[in-house]
Amino acid sequence: MSKILVLDRGDTLAEQIRGLSDQFDEAPKITSCTRIGAVGEVLEEDGPFDVLVAGPSLGTRSGLARLRIISEELPEMRMVLAFSRRPDASLRDIVRTGAIDLLQLPVEDADIVESLERAASLARQVPEPSVIETLATPEPESLEPRPNRPGIVYTISSATGGCGKTFYATNLAWFLHKWTGKSVCIVDLDLQFGEVSTALRLRPKYTIFDALQREDADESDLQAHIEEYMVVHDTGVHVLAAPRDTSEADRITPPDVTRILEAVRNRFDYVLVDTPPALAETVLAAFDLSDLLYVMATLDLPSVRNMSVFLSTLDRLRIDTDNLRLVLNKAETDVGIDIDQVTKLFPQGFESILPYAKEVSRSINLGMPVMAASPDAEISRLMAGGMKLVLPGDLQAQITQETAPKKAGLRRLFGK
Ligand SMILES: Nc1ncnc2c1ncn2[C@@H]1O[C@H](COP(=O)(O)OP(=O)(O)OP(=O)(O)O)[C@@H](O)[C@H]1O
Ligand SMILES: [Mg+2]
């Protein structure tokens, strides 16, 4: 009897497949997992499965990246994708999941049965390198820095203060620099109360304000000299600090922000923009130039509620939300809100759910990102698990291997 796991936020697809059991040569055992974050746990506890059927809620870039990690971990299991429309991801991301079939929903019963029978029979054979995998040439992914192209801009935002934006931005900067070896700069756009320098224990001589004061600075001049206004952390990460006082901050306009970010991204492979907890005009200017937008919340009602208002505002402002990543931080159990309830409110899913960790305060006191100061801490591993999804597959596999605890299991990979 073959074992099939259906992974989707709803139960509809699993129900349809269950209803077809008698049409299989031999009725399969069907398990449904509707909590995407718990898939590692289900694979470990109820597996091994012959076939994983991924439903439409996995049709996002991060969903496909997750499927890809699963198929790398469990090459014997066959994967079938059942999507209602072309997912918000490149064909290449789909191919790289290693799936052997793609069903278009709504799908005829006979097609599902035929596809799953075939997948189950292939699962019984010794895995061979997939032809598709071999054909996938190692050309750079869209989010990899390329020579002579502007760098990639990630903006970290939140609706409420103290969610961990500065914490996340400094760690992501370190992570990208460490694993890609590329140049990384954090621009502190929390103009009034920026704390990137404090979090990294830096003493900037100049700030973003000074860079904008250059006389007769045309764009190429600003670009040529922008690094002179930065301070470099021991890890090699560059920082363009926030102004020294609020009166300077008030004088920085959205077009100034655009100029600065254009200049920085022409000099750096990755640019991380830390922001204040508000949708200020200067923040919107950064959104316009961003390749990815992280939105953070903590596990408390005001923060979660405001995250939802924040996201609908982005929608109303017609800000491209395709490349949105949600991060839930300081997610402790026993605080009166259930993490599962919160995740259900956000269909796009959370890229990372991070616990409150004492190692963070220690790292701040050292002026180091926690991932550098305590690489073996649970929080560092969980962060790496989410952050690596923006990197190319071979690097992801290397990070998985090198950051895994000795007895790593899929449960760990997905933060459960
Ligand atoms: N997962 C965590 N565990 C423990 N402490 C954390 C965690 N995340 C952040 N912190 C701490 O919480 C405080 C607030 O974090 P941080 O300054 O990064 O938030 P922020 O969103 O940048 O705040 P603001 O909106 O004021 O800029 C900091 O002292 C930080 O070290
Ligand atoms: Mg901050």
Side-chain angles (χ1 to χ4, degrees):
M1 180 180 61
S2 55
K3 283 177 71 180
I4 298 178
L5 174 64
V6 184
L7 179 63
D8 196 18
R9 284 215 176 82
D11 211 23
T12 326
L13 184 61
E15 284 303 312
Q16 184 181 3
I17 298 172
R18 267 196 203 103
L20 299 172
S21 287
D22 55 354
Q23 297 188 29
F24 284 79
D25 288 343
E26 191 190 348
K29 179 172 186 315
I30 295 160
T31 305
S32 163
C33 173
T34 52
R35 275 177 54 216
I36 312 265
V39 60
E41 211 173 317
V42 174
L43 285 165
E44 259 188 27
E45 281 173 13
D46 303 335
F49 292 95
D50 300 297
V51 182
L52 184 150
V53 186
S57 45
L58 275 298
T60 60
R61 220 187 141 91
S62 59
L64 292 170
R66 190 186 284 269
L67 293 177
R68 178 174 170 177
I69 296 173
I70 294 175
S71 67
E72 279 167 8
E73 289 285 320
L74 301 171
E76 317 77 36
M77 184 177 69
R78 299 298 156 152
M79 201 176 281
V80 170
L81 311 180
F83 292 159
S84 33
R85 59 185 170 87
R86 183 74 197 279
D88 293 335
S90 69
L91 209 49
R92 193 145 185 261
D93 288 335
I94 299 177
V95 166
R96 289 180 152 213
T97 61
I100 58 151
D101 203 359
L102 175 60
L103 299 169
Q104 178 90 30
L105 296 174
V107 58
E108 299 286 326
D109 290 350
D111 291 341
I112 294 196
V113 174
E114 192 262 337
S115 174
L116 296 187
E117 291 267 28
R118 176 169 166 268
S121 78
L122 285 173
R124 282 176 222 115
Q125 298 169 10
V126 183
E128 283 175 25
S130 127
V131 178
I132 294 179
E133 194 66 32
T134 328
L135 285 175
T137 49
E139 60 184 69
E141 300 215 315
S142 57
L143 277 179
E144 265 186 274
R146 298 183 212 183
N148 306 321
R149 291 274 190 91
I152 295 168
V153 182
Y154 297 154
T155 296
I156 325 292
S157 61
S158 74
T160 41
C163 288
K165 292 179 295 302
T166 304
F167 155 73
Y168 200 80
T170 47
N171 277 280
L172 183 56
W174 175 84
F175 177 85
L176 291 170
H177 184 60
K178 172 179 162 75
W179 290 103
T180 66
K182 307 264 181 193
S183 58
V184 181
C185 174
I186 309 176
V187 176
D188 196 345
L189 262 204
D190 186 353
L191 300 170
Q192 308 264 5
F193 303 111
E195 286 196 314
V196 174
S197 320
T198 319
L200 294 175
R201 289 207 154 203
L202 296 170
R203 287 167 180 270
K205 210 163 153 195
Y206 301 108
T207 74
I208 187 170
F209 180 80
D210 303 316
L212 287 163
Q213 298 315 299
R214 283 186 71 80
E215 291 199 1
D216 64 74
D218 65 11
E219 301 316 315
S220 62
D221 179 77
L222 183 62
Q223 195 179 304
H225 293 277
I226 191 78
E227 281 176 58
E228 295 163 22
Y229 296 90
M230 295 179 181
V231 53
V232 189
H233 186 254
D234 283 350
T235 55
V237 169
H238 284 60
V239 173
L240 184 57
R244 275 169 288 265
D245 60 52
T246 50
S247 66
E248 286 182 355
D250 287 343
R251 287 164 58 195
I252 297 179
T253 63
D256 288 337
V257 168
T258 308
R259 281 187 69 212
I260 288 286
L261 292 182
E262 288 281 14
V264 178
R265 77 170 178 175
N266 282 321
R267 303 289 297 189
F268 285 80
D269 296 311
Y270 289 102
V271 183
L272 294 167
V273 184
D274 190 16
T275 64
L279 277 174
E281 291 289 331
T282 42
V283 174
L284 295 178
F287 285 180
D288 282 342
L289 286 184
S290 298
D291 296 274
L292 265 192
L293 199 59
Y294 285 87
V295 184
M296 300 190 63
T298 41
L299 190 61
D300 57 85
L301 270 184
S303 187
V304 169
R305 203 193 85 79
N306 284 321
M307 174 183 250
S308 148
V309 175
F310 190 91
L311 295 179
S312 45
T313 310
L314 293 186
D315 212 34
R316 271 208 313 282
L317 293 171
R318 301 200 185 289
I319 287 171
D320 183 7
T321 49
D322 279 356
N323 283 328
L324 203 69
R325 305 287 158 108
L326 307 188
V327 175
L328 191 62
N329 191 18
K330 305 187 191 175
E332 289 181 285
T333 45
D334 304 332
V335 289
I337 315 188
D338 185 12
I339 298 180
D340 286 343
Q341 279 173 333
V342 172
T343 50
K344 276 197 197 115
L345 294 174
F346 299 96
Q348 52 278 75
F350 284 87
E351 179 162 287
S352 294
I353 298 182
L354 307 171
Y356 185 92
K358 60 178 186 327
E359 290 89 348
V360 176
S361 323
R362 205 162 50 219
S363 77
I364 300 280
N365 293 335
L366 293 170
M368 285 299 267
V370 70
M371 297 174 85
S374 312
D376 294 327
E378 186 197 16
I379 187 148
S380 302
R381 288 211 184 91
L382 288 173
M383 287 174 97
M387 289 174 178
K388 73 180 175 201
L389 298 177
V390 296
L391 297 176
D394 44 353
L395 196 50
Q396 283 188 33
Q398 187 192 341
I399 296 169
T400 308
Q401 214 172 33
E402 291 185 26
T403 58
K406 289 290 166 285
K407 282 190 185 166
L410 280 155
R411 180 193 302 245
R412 282 290 197 154
L413 267 175
F414 297 116
K416 296 307 294 177

